[in-house]
Amino acid sequence: MQKGHQSWIFESKPVIISSAVVGGPFEAKGNLANDFDILHEDIWLGQDSFEKAEKKLLEQACEKAIEKSGLKKEDIQFFISGDLMNQIISSSFTARTLGCPYLGIFGACSSSMEGLALASLLVDSKFAKYVLAGASSHNAAAEKQFRYPTEYGSQKPPTAQWTVTGAGAVLLSQKGEGPCVTSATIGRVVDMGISDPFNMGAAMAPAAVDTIEAHFRDLNIDLNYYDVIATGDLGQVGHRIAKDLLIKHGLNIKPEILTDCGIMIYKDDQPVMAGGSGCGCSATVTYGHFLNRMRKKELKRILIVATGALMSPISYQQKESIPCIAHAVSIEMP
Amino acid sequence: MQKGHQSWIFESKPVIISSAVVGGPFEAKGNLANDFDILHEDIWLGQDSFEKAEKKLLEQACEKAIEKSGLKKEDIQFFISGDLMNQIISSSFTARTLGCPYLGIFGACSSSMEGLALASLLVDSKFAKYVLAGASSHNAAAEKQFRYPTEYGSQKPPTAQWTVTGAGAVLLSQKGEGPCVTSATIGRVVDMGISDPFNMGAAMAPAAVDTIEAHFRDLNIDLNYYDVIATGDLGQVGHRIAKDLLIKHGLNIKPEILTDCGIMIYKDDQPVMAGGSGCGCSATVTYGHFLNRMRKKELKRILIVATGALMSPISYQQKESIPCIAHAVSIEMP
């Protein structure tokens, strides 16, 4: 059901019947290592390119999620996925492996929640019984494509973020047991004129706040309704800006509710500058850590606000600023 | 409503209340020039880069479609769009201009019908009142990104296709007058092992046939139900292969029904090798030419099967074959 201008209420409450997350060596040393289904010591995953390694991460997350659900590949009606690679090849090549009907999406690091929102819509509106939603990123593949290959040893400012090597997938169903997707708010593009790709958090923070504001306005619920509101990957810098902006906009959400997947995923002593980023950041933290805590009844209601910086190396080189977006999805235990 | 394994029936029949298509100088000399709303003599559209020119094409198509509907930008609830540029910057920067909630998609040249299918789903399931769907491509921007900059003068084999410089947009509504979207079939990835980016038509033909077969199986309608079945951009080579494959699969569709947007858009004496391609090909031919013919009552029922080659320059360089997909959408006059 449409609610307000840009939100959807999923009245039938599509169920996340299974989820799986896969990570790399850096994630294995991080804060949330115990929440991963598979962790790889080798950043290449035995492949001969970083791009193929990223595809492998996403394939494993999808296959593990299907396996945990007890369903077969043939039962999956639609696969919705996105990633950061040019022409989202990680998602499309994974779709080739899975063999099921496929909808490719792109919202940069917001792809995780764009996919979950669309998957929930398909299930809620009875256009599908089972939908698989996934997202992935790979640190070395992203560095090579967006900045410089890691091997160049180029330096970064403290505002830069560390792309997560990881993939997450969830399987949604009309019926079953588990956390349910209850609503989604689709974001607008917000561009405050920031053009520094080493300060994505600051660029994305206003988009996160715009979507959080729209979510509470459209749903007309209490500002402290959720146990956790986690932004996708603002990192330390963007998180502080978002907190300040929320107060400025009169959204007095209790500070202890607000967190960020990019801050949570790594330990303080890991050299990740301002924190984690990438489609794999919100996907692994949400589909791993948060869903696990929900299943253990530690959390009842969460809102994930995945943020995305919709630039490309070309748009940056052509002196464009960074258009940003955030999509919010709420997950609740029945 | 879900129908069969991979198709959707839109029972409320979302209406295309307006559409607009914009093209470049090559399209102005083509077969369907009269069906364009705006044609540009300058391939740069007065911009300082081809990428910015493509954005301009898409912005103009969107703004024209909104203008023709009599609605305002603020009435549009969601903008769904995709294109061929890395990180779909044409779509995302247009979303910034429009300022409405945005869902970015990627299905290469199938993005046009992926967007129309999702937009129809949103309207049909009452998750939105008004949705704008768009797609674009730009010949010089695509050449530069996928092959060689045109200025290099590199030669091409006769199987190669010419990326359309054009953008199309449609505005969907729950109510109104005009052609209606009645169903969609979401494609699976089909990869027959072809790895030659200068022969996309041959690579994509099996995907088109797979989706056409699924469409008729899921909907269980007569093979000659439609007045036209137009594939997205198979071109001369892929179109012949698709025709042969359809017969092999026992789908004896009357040959005069089958056509291809990539063959239709240019004149025989234009140097386009096997025909047109790009997201802008099926978008401009469908949203311009076909919708105009429907409004003139020359066509009652059409099926557009937009095909996409989901490769990237990196996947090609890494010796991967080309995964292909096709999404079909049926449009009917009430």
Side-chain angles (χ1 to χ4, degrees), chain B residues 23-50:
Chain B
F26 227 70
E27 293 63 36
K29 290 184 189 135
N31 258 332
L32 310 177
N34 291 337
D35 288 304
F36 282 80
D37 294 274
I38 303 168
L39 283 165
H40 292 275
E41 275 182 43
D42 171 18
I43 199 160
W44 297 86
L45 278 82
Q47 304 297 302
D48 60 5
S49 77
F50 294 132

PDB file of all heavy atoms in Angstrom, chain B residues 23-50:
ATOM      1  N   GLY B  23      15.774  12.496 -29.926  1.00  0.00           N
ATOM      2  CA  GLY B  23      16.817  11.820 -30.699  1.00  0.00           C
ATOM      3  C   GLY B  23      17.906  12.764 -31.172  1.00  0.00           C
ATOM      4  O   GLY B  23      17.824  13.989 -31.014  1.00  0.00           O
ATOM      5  N   GLY B  24      18.930  12.174 -31.792  1.00  0.00           N
ATOM      6  CA  GLY B  24      20.066  12.935 -32.294  1.00  0.00           C
ATOM      7  C   GLY B  24      20.032  13.074 -33.808  1.00  0.00           C
ATOM      8  O   GLY B  24      19.034  12.744 -34.452  1.00  0.00           O
ATOM      9  N   PRO B  25      21.133  13.533 -34.399  1.00  0.00           N
ATOM     10  CA  PRO B  25      21.156  13.813 -35.836  1.00  0.00           C
ATOM     11  C   PRO B  25      20.974  12.570 -36.704  1.00  0.00           C
ATOM     12  O   PRO B  25      20.391  12.636 -37.783  1.00  0.00           O
ATOM     13  CB  PRO B  25      22.560  14.423 -36.044  1.00  0.00           C
ATOM     14  CG  PRO B  25      23.344  14.109 -34.827  1.00  0.00           C
ATOM     15  CD  PRO B  25      22.376  13.927 -33.724  1.00  0.00           C
ATOM     16  N   PHE B  26      21.478  11.438 -36.246  1.00  0.00           N
ATOM     17  CA  PHE B  26      21.380  10.213 -37.031  1.00  0.00           C
ATOM     18  C   PHE B  26      19.939   9.704 -37.050  1.00  0.00           C
ATOM     19  O   PHE B  26      19.458   9.173 -38.053  1.00  0.00           O
ATOM     20  CB  PHE B  26      22.308   9.166 -36.411  1.00  0.00           C
ATOM     21  CG  PHE B  26      23.142   8.478 -37.429  1.00  0.00           C
ATOM     22  CD1 PHE B  26      24.164   9.156 -38.082  1.00  0.00           C
ATOM     23  CD2 PHE B  26      22.906   7.158 -37.761  1.00  0.00           C
ATOM     24  CE1 PHE B  26      24.928   8.518 -39.035  1.00  0.00           C
ATOM     25  CE2 PHE B  26      23.671   6.510 -38.708  1.00  0.00           C
ATOM     26  CZ  PHE B  26      24.684   7.188 -39.357  1.00  0.00           C
ATOM     27  N   GLU B  27      19.266   9.874 -35.927  1.00  0.00           N
ATOM     28  CA  GLU B  27      17.871   9.449 -35.805  1.00  0.00           C
ATOM     29  C   GLU B  27      16.973  10.381 -36.622  1.00  0.00           C
ATOM     30  O   GLU B  27      15.935   9.958 -37.136  1.00  0.00           O
ATOM     31  CB  GLU B  27      17.463   9.437 -34.331  1.00  0.00           C
ATOM     32  CG  GLU B  27      18.190   8.375 -33.494  1.00  0.00           C
ATOM     33  CD  GLU B  27      19.695   8.573 -33.399  1.00  0.00           C
ATOM     34  OE1 GLU B  27      20.145   9.731 -33.331  1.00  0.00           O
ATOM     35  OE2 GLU B  27      20.452   7.570 -33.420  1.00  0.00           O
ATOM     36  N   ALA B  28      17.410  11.641 -36.749  1.00  0.00           N
ATOM     37  CA  ALA B  28      16.637  12.622 -37.530  1.00  0.00           C
ATOM     38  C   ALA B  28      16.620  12.256 -39.012  1.00  0.00           C
ATOM     39  O   ALA B  28      15.720  12.645 -39.750  1.00  0.00           O
ATOM     40  CB  ALA B  28      17.237  14.016 -37.339  1.00  0.00           C
ATOM     41  N   LYS B  29      17.640  11.510 -39.442  1.00  0.00           N
ATOM     42  CA  LYS B  29      17.704  11.074 -40.843  1.00  0.00           C
ATOM     43  C   LYS B  29      17.139   9.673 -41.028  1.00  0.00           C
ATOM     44  O   LYS B  29      17.185   9.106 -42.113  1.00  0.00           O
ATOM     45  CB  LYS B  29      19.167  11.089 -41.320  1.00  0.00           C
ATOM     46  CG  LYS B  29      19.712  12.496 -41.467  1.00  0.00           C
ATOM     47  CD  LYS B  29      21.130  12.452 -42.030  1.00  0.00           C
ATOM     48  CE  LYS B  29      21.760  13.835 -41.978  1.00  0.00           C
ATOM     49  NZ  LYS B  29      23.133  13.816 -41.483  1.00  0.00           N
ATOM     50  N   GLY B  30      16.644   9.092 -39.916  1.00  0.00           N
ATOM     51  CA  GLY B  30      16.195   7.704 -39.951  1.00  0.00           C
ATOM     52  C   GLY B  30      14.767   7.544 -40.435  1.00  0.00           C
ATOM     53  O   GLY B  30      14.107   8.508 -40.854  1.00  0.00           O
ATOM     54  N   ASN B  31      14.294   6.309 -40.323  1.00  0.00           N
ATOM     55  CA  ASN B  31      12.955   5.919 -40.759  1.00  0.00           C
ATOM     56  C   ASN B  31      11.836   6.537 -39.950  1.00  0.00           C
ATOM     57  O   ASN B  31      10.733   6.715 -40.445  1.00  0.00           O
ATOM     58  CB  ASN B  31      12.815   4.393 -40.586  1.00  0.00           C
ATOM     59  CG  ASN B  31      12.970   3.670 -41.899  1.00  0.00           C
ATOM     60  OD1 ASN B  31      12.670   4.240 -42.941  1.00  0.00           O
ATOM     61  ND2 ASN B  31      13.425   2.432 -41.843  1.00  0.00           N
ATOM     62  N   LEU B  32      12.111   6.764 -38.664  1.00  0.00           N
ATOM     63  CA  LEU B  32      11.031   7.100 -37.739  1.00  0.00           C
ATOM     64  C   LEU B  32      11.132   8.532 -37.223  1.00  0.00           C
ATOM     65  O   LEU B  32      10.605   8.858 -36.156  1.00  0.00           O
ATOM     66  CB  LEU B  32      11.037   6.107 -36.558  1.00  0.00           C
ATOM     67  CG  LEU B  32      11.077   4.619 -36.935  1.00  0.00           C
ATOM     68  CD1 LEU B  32      11.155   3.755 -35.684  1.00  0.00           C
ATOM     69  CD2 LEU B  32       9.851   4.235 -37.763  1.00  0.00           C
ATOM     70  N   ALA B  33      11.808   9.380 -37.983  1.00  0.00           N
ATOM     71  CA  ALA B  33      12.062  10.754 -37.532  1.00  0.00           C
ATOM     72  C   ALA B  33      10.767  11.465 -37.123  1.00  0.00           C
ATOM     73  O   ALA B  33      10.747  12.223 -36.142  1.00  0.00           O
ATOM     74  CB  ALA B  33      12.773  11.540 -38.633  1.00  0.00           C
ATOM     75  N   ASN B  34       9.690  11.196 -37.845  1.00  0.00           N
ATOM     76  CA  ASN B  34       8.431  11.893 -37.545  1.00  0.00           C
ATOM     77  C   ASN B  34       7.835  11.528 -36.192  1.00  0.00           C
ATOM     78  O   ASN B  34       6.937  12.207 -35.711  1.00  0.00           O
ATOM     79  CB  ASN B  34       7.392  11.589 -38.632  1.00  0.00           C
ATOM     80  CG  ASN B  34       7.777  12.241 -39.940  1.00  0.00           C
ATOM     81  OD1 ASN B  34       8.525  13.219 -39.947  1.00  0.00           O
ATOM     82  ND2 ASN B  34       7.288  11.683 -41.045  1.00  0.00           N
ATOM     83  N   ASP B  35       8.315  10.440 -35.613  1.00  0.00           N
ATOM     84  CA  ASP B  35       7.769  10.008 -34.325  1.00  0.00           C
ATOM     85  C   ASP B  35       8.496  10.620 -33.127  1.00  0.00           C
ATOM     86  O   ASP B  35       8.148  10.342 -31.981  1.00  0.00           O
ATOM     87  CB  ASP B  35       7.811   8.477 -34.240  1.00  0.00           C
ATOM     88  CG  ASP B  35       6.774   7.828 -35.141  1.00  0.00           C
ATOM     89  OD1 ASP B  35       5.585   8.164 -34.980  1.00  0.00           O
ATOM     90  OD2 ASP B  35       7.149   7.006 -36.002  1.00  0.00           O
ATOM     91  N   PHE B  36       9.537  11.412 -33.379  1.00  0.00           N
ATOM     92  CA  PHE B  36      10.286  12.023 -32.276  1.00  0.00           C
ATOM     93  C   PHE B  36       9.658  13.356 -31.876  1.00  0.00           C
ATOM     94  O   PHE B  36       9.189  14.113 -32.739  1.00  0.00           O
ATOM     95  CB  PHE B  36      11.753  12.232 -32.679  1.00  0.00           C
ATOM     96  CG  PHE B  36      12.582  10.972 -32.617  1.00  0.00           C
ATOM     97  CD1 PHE B  36      12.532  10.039 -33.656  1.00  0.00           C
ATOM     98  CD2 PHE B  36      13.384  10.692 -31.515  1.00  0.00           C
ATOM     99  CE1 PHE B  36      13.284   8.863 -33.598  1.00  0.00           C
ATOM    100  CE2 PHE B  36      14.139   9.530 -31.456  1.00  0.00           C
ATOM    101  CZ  PHE B  36      14.087   8.604 -32.497  1.00  0.00           C
ATOM    102  N   ASP B  37       9.659  13.643 -30.595  1.00  0.00           N
ATOM    103  CA  ASP B  37       9.169  14.935 -30.108  1.00  0.00           C
ATOM    104  C   ASP B  37      10.207  16.024 -30.319  1.00  0.00           C
ATOM    105  O   ASP B  37       9.889  17.158 -30.636  1.00  0.00           O
ATOM    106  CB  ASP B  37       8.837  14.846 -28.614  1.00  0.00           C
ATOM    107  CG  ASP B  37       7.675  13.922 -28.347  1.00  0.00           C
ATOM    108  OD1 ASP B  37       6.524  14.397 -28.416  1.00  0.00           O
ATOM    109  OD2 ASP B  37       7.919  12.723 -28.133  1.00  0.00           O
ATOM    110  N   ILE B  38      11.461  15.656 -30.070  1.00  0.00           N
ATOM    111  CA  ILE B  38      12.561  16.612 -30.224  1.00  0.00           C
ATOM    112  C   ILE B  38      13.699  15.888 -30.945  1.00  0.00           C
ATOM    113  O   ILE B  38      14.034  14.752 -30.595  1.00  0.00           O
ATOM    114  CB  ILE B  38      13.077  17.116 -28.843  1.00  0.00           C
ATOM    115  CG1 ILE B  38      11.944  17.742 -28.022  1.00  0.00           C
ATOM    116  CG2 ILE B  38      14.229  18.105 -29.018  1.00  0.00           C
ATOM    117  CD1 ILE B  38      12.312  18.004 -26.549  1.00  0.00           C
ATOM    118  N   LEU B  39      14.275  16.541 -31.948  1.00  0.00           N
ATOM    119  CA  LEU B  39      15.438  15.991 -32.653  1.00  0.00           C
ATOM    120  C   LEU B  39      16.553  17.021 -32.632  1.00  0.00           C
ATOM    121  O   LEU B  39      16.312  18.208 -32.875  1.00  0.00           O
ATOM    122  CB  LEU B  39      15.068  15.631 -34.103  1.00  0.00           C
ATOM    123  CG  LEU B  39      14.274  14.328 -34.266  1.00  0.00           C
ATOM    124  CD1 LEU B  39      13.659  14.247 -35.651  1.00  0.00           C
ATOM    125  CD2 LEU B  39      15.150  13.102 -34.001  1.00  0.00           C
ATOM    126  N   HIS B  40      17.750  16.570 -32.314  1.00  0.00           N
ATOM    127  CA  HIS B  40      18.893  17.489 -32.214  1.00  0.00           C
ATOM    128  C   HIS B  40      19.826  17.331 -33.404  1.00  0.00           C
ATOM    129  O   HIS B  40      20.200  16.205 -33.734  1.00  0.00           O
ATOM    130  CB  HIS B  40      19.674  17.225 -30.928  1.00  0.00           C
ATOM    131  CG  HIS B  40      18.904  17.599 -29.705  1.00  0.00           C
ATOM    132  ND1 HIS B  40      18.879  18.874 -29.205  1.00  0.00           N
ATOM    133  CD2 HIS B  40      18.085  16.872 -28.899  1.00  0.00           C
ATOM    134  CE1 HIS B  40      18.105  18.917 -28.133  1.00  0.00           C
ATOM    135  NE2 HIS B  40      17.605  17.726 -27.916  1.00  0.00           N
ATOM    136  N   GLU B  41      20.213  18.455 -33.997  1.00  0.00           N
ATOM    137  CA  GLU B  41      21.200  18.403 -35.086  1.00  0.00           C
ATOM    138  C   GLU B  41      22.605  18.207 -34.548  1.00  0.00           C
ATOM    139  O   GLU B  41      23.474  17.669 -35.215  1.00  0.00           O
ATOM    140  CB  GLU B  41      21.164  19.714 -35.876  1.00  0.00           C
ATOM    141  CG  GLU B  41      20.105  19.729 -36.955  1.00  0.00           C
ATOM    142  CD  GLU B  41      20.154  21.024 -37.735  1.00  0.00           C
ATOM    143  OE1 GLU B  41      21.266  21.477 -38.065  1.00  0.00           O
ATOM    144  OE2 GLU B  41      19.067  21.581 -37.986  1.00  0.00           O
ATOM    145  N   ASP B  42      22.800  18.655 -33.301  1.00  0.00           N
ATOM    146  CA  ASP B  42      24.123  18.630 -32.675  1.00  0.00           C
ATOM    147  C   ASP B  42      24.220  17.425 -31.745  1.00  0.00           C
ATOM    148  O   ASP B  42      23.477  17.328 -30.756  1.00  0.00           O
ATOM    149  CB  ASP B  42      24.280  19.940 -31.874  1.00  0.00           C
ATOM    150  CG  ASP B  42      25.522  19.954 -30.999  1.00  0.00           C
ATOM    151  OD1 ASP B  42      26.431  19.140 -31.250  1.00  0.00           O
ATOM    152  OD2 ASP B  42      25.555  20.779 -30.065  1.00  0.00           O
ATOM    153  N   ILE B  43      25.149  16.533 -32.026  1.00  0.00           N
ATOM    154  CA  ILE B  43      25.286  15.331 -31.192  1.00  0.00           C
ATOM    155  C   ILE B  43      25.742  15.675 -29.770  1.00  0.00           C
ATOM    156  O   ILE B  43      25.593  14.885 -28.840  1.00  0.00           O
ATOM    157  CB  ILE B  43      26.222  14.293 -31.872  1.00  0.00           C
ATOM    158  CG1 ILE B  43      25.984  12.904 -31.256  1.00  0.00           C
ATOM    159  CG2 ILE B  43      27.684  14.695 -31.788  1.00  0.00           C
ATOM    160  CD1 ILE B  43      26.459  11.762 -32.110  1.00  0.00           C
ATOM    161  N   TRP B  44      26.302  16.866 -29.585  1.00  0.00           N
ATOM    162  CA  TRP B  44      26.731  17.323 -28.252  1.00  0.00           C
ATOM    163  C   TRP B  44      25.579  17.960 -27.471  1.00  0.00           C
ATOM    164  O   TRP B  44      25.719  18.220 -26.282  1.00  0.00           O
ATOM    165  CB  TRP B  44      27.851  18.359 -28.375  1.00  0.00           C
ATOM    166  CG  TRP B  44      29.115  17.849 -29.002  1.00  0.00           C
ATOM    167  CD1 TRP B  44      29.406  17.782 -30.336  1.00  0.00           C
ATOM    168  CD2 TRP B  44      30.259  17.331 -28.319  1.00  0.00           C
ATOM    169  NE1 TRP B  44      30.667  17.266 -30.521  1.00  0.00           N
ATOM    170  CE2 TRP B  44      31.212  16.982 -29.307  1.00  0.00           C
ATOM    171  CE3 TRP B  44      30.576  17.140 -26.968  1.00  0.00           C
ATOM    172  CZ2 TRP B  44      32.463  16.442 -28.982  1.00  0.00           C
ATOM    173  CZ3 TRP B  44      31.820  16.615 -26.649  1.00  0.00           C
ATOM    174  CH2 TRP B  44      32.745  16.268 -27.644  1.00  0.00           C
ATOM    175  N   LEU B  45      24.482  18.277 -28.125  1.00  0.00           N
ATOM    176  CA  LEU B  45      23.356  18.995 -27.507  1.00  0.00           C
ATOM    177  C   LEU B  45      23.838  20.260 -26.768  1.00  0.00           C
ATOM    178  O   LEU B  45      23.315  20.611 -25.702  1.00  0.00           O
ATOM    179  CB  LEU B  45      22.571  18.094 -26.548  1.00  0.00           C
ATOM    180  CG  LEU B  45      21.534  17.148 -27.195  1.00  0.00           C
ATOM    181  CD1 LEU B  45      22.191  15.891 -27.723  1.00  0.00           C
ATOM    182  CD2 LEU B  45      20.450  16.781 -26.194  1.00  0.00           C
ATOM    183  N   GLY B  46      24.885  20.856 -27.285  1.00  0.00           N
ATOM    184  CA  GLY B  46      25.408  22.076 -26.662  1.00  0.00           C
ATOM    185  C   GLY B  46      26.172  21.837 -25.375  1.00  0.00           C
ATOM    186  O   GLY B  46      26.591  22.788 -24.705  1.00  0.00           O
ATOM    187  N   GLN B  47      26.386  20.568 -25.002  1.00  0.00           N
ATOM    188  CA  GLN B  47      27.103  20.246 -23.760  1.00  0.00           C
ATOM    189  C   GLN B  47      28.595  20.096 -24.061  1.00  0.00           C
ATOM    190  O   GLN B  47      28.999  19.994 -25.215  1.00  0.00           O
ATOM    191  CB  GLN B  47      26.553  18.944 -23.162  1.00  0.00           C
ATOM    192  CG  GLN B  47      25.063  18.961 -22.909  1.00  0.00           C
ATOM    193  CD  GLN B  47      24.679  20.003 -21.889  1.00  0.00           C
ATOM    194  OE1 GLN B  47      25.156  19.991 -20.770  1.00  0.00           O
ATOM    195  NE2 GLN B  47      23.806  20.936 -22.287  1.00  0.00           N
ATOM    196  N   ASP B  48      29.415  20.015 -23.008  1.00  0.00           N
ATOM    197  CA  ASP B  48      30.850  19.864 -23.239  1.00  0.00           C
ATOM    198  C   ASP B  48      31.343  18.423 -23.109  1.00  0.00           C
ATOM    199  O   ASP B  48      32.553  18.168 -23.099  1.00  0.00           O
ATOM    200  CB  ASP B  48      31.665  20.830 -22.366  1.00  0.00           C
ATOM    201  CG  ASP B  48      31.439  20.606 -20.885  1.00  0.00           C
ATOM    202  OD1 ASP B  48      30.736  19.643 -20.524  1.00  0.00           O
ATOM    203  OD2 ASP B  48      31.965  21.393 -20.080  1.00  0.00           O
ATOM    204  N   SER B  49      30.421  17.469 -22.991  1.00  0.00           N
ATOM    205  CA  SER B  49      30.823  16.056 -23.031  1.00  0.00           C
ATOM    206  C   SER B  49      29.653  15.237 -23.561  1.00  0.00           C
ATOM    207  O   SER B  49      28.490  15.655 -23.479  1.00  0.00           O
ATOM    208  CB  SER B  49      31.238  15.542 -21.645  1.00  0.00           C
ATOM    209  OG  SER B  49      30.103  15.291 -20.841  1.00  0.00           O
ATOM    210  N   PHE B  50      29.971  14.068 -24.123  1.00  0.00           N
ATOM    211  CA  PHE B  50      28.917  13.194 -24.635  1.00  0.00           C
ATOM    212  C   PHE B  50      28.034  12.674 -23.495  1.00  0.00           C
ATOM    213  O   PHE B  50      26.836  12.469 -23.670  1.00  0.00           O
ATOM    214  CB  PHE B  50      29.523  12.017 -25.402  1.00  0.00           C
ATOM    215  CG  PHE B  50      30.243  12.427 -26.665  1.00  0.00           C
ATOM    216  CD1 PHE B  50      31.508  11.940 -26.946  1.00  0.00           C
ATOM    217  CD2 PHE B  50      29.644  13.289 -27.566  1.00  0.00           C
ATOM    218  CE1 PHE B  50      32.173  12.305 -28.114  1.00  0.00           C
ATOM    219  CE2 PHE B  50      30.301  13.670 -28.739  1.00  0.00           C
ATOM    220  CZ  PHE B  50      31.571  13.175 -29.000  1.00  0.00           C
TER     221      PHE B  50
END
